[in-house]
Amino acid sequence: MNIHKRLIGICWLLFGVLIVSLLGINLGHTDTRIAVVGMLAGLTYTAGGFALLANLQRSWRIALPCAALSLFSFPIGTPIGVYYLWYYFKRERLG
């Protein structure tokens, strides 16, 4: 497995778990809609991380939208999203 793919998978897995755990801790203090959207985003990042770590054939189908979403999650998500986009488009260029 490519080291970049594995590193991005680990980062997204940890990032997704961090989002879900922080929302779980503050569940009583946040608005329900914000909590639901945050949980969905956290679970999406976690699923993307698992897909990359499992080296699934079509893991780019979940990883590319995760990269686009994580660009807005400054300061942690932005570097992960940029790193995946760099890796994905470099891989696509090479064929």
Side-chain angles (χ1 to χ4, degrees), residues 22-36 39:
L22 288 176
L23 282 172
I25 290 170
N26 296 324
L27 193 58
H29 303 293
T30 59
D31 187 23
T32 306
R33 291 172 289 188
I34 294 172
V36 168
M39 288 286 185

Side-chain angles (χ1 to χ4, degrees), residues 14-77:
L14 293 175
F15 186 51
V17 168
L18 177 72
I19 290 173
V20 170
S21 64
L22 288 176
L23 282 172
I25 290 170
N26 296 324
L27 193 58
H29 303 293
T30 59
D31 187 23
T32 306
R33 291 172 289 188
I34 294 172
V36 168
V37 170
M39 288 286 185
L40 286 175
L43 292 174
T44 304
Y45 292 134
T46 305
F50 274 128
L52 289 173
L53 286 175
N55 203 17
L56 297 178
Q57 182 106 14
R58 309 247 183 216
S59 62
W60 63 270
R61 288 186 177 178
I62 191 167
L64 199 57
C66 283
L69 284 174
S70 70
L71 291 176
F72 299 107
S73 302
F74 186 79
I76 298 173

Side-chain angles (χ1 to χ4, degrees), residues 79-90:
I80 301 170
V82 169
Y83 185 36
Y84 180 77
L85 291 175
W86 169 80
Y87 164 73
Y88 177 75
F89 288 118
K90 183 182 118 182

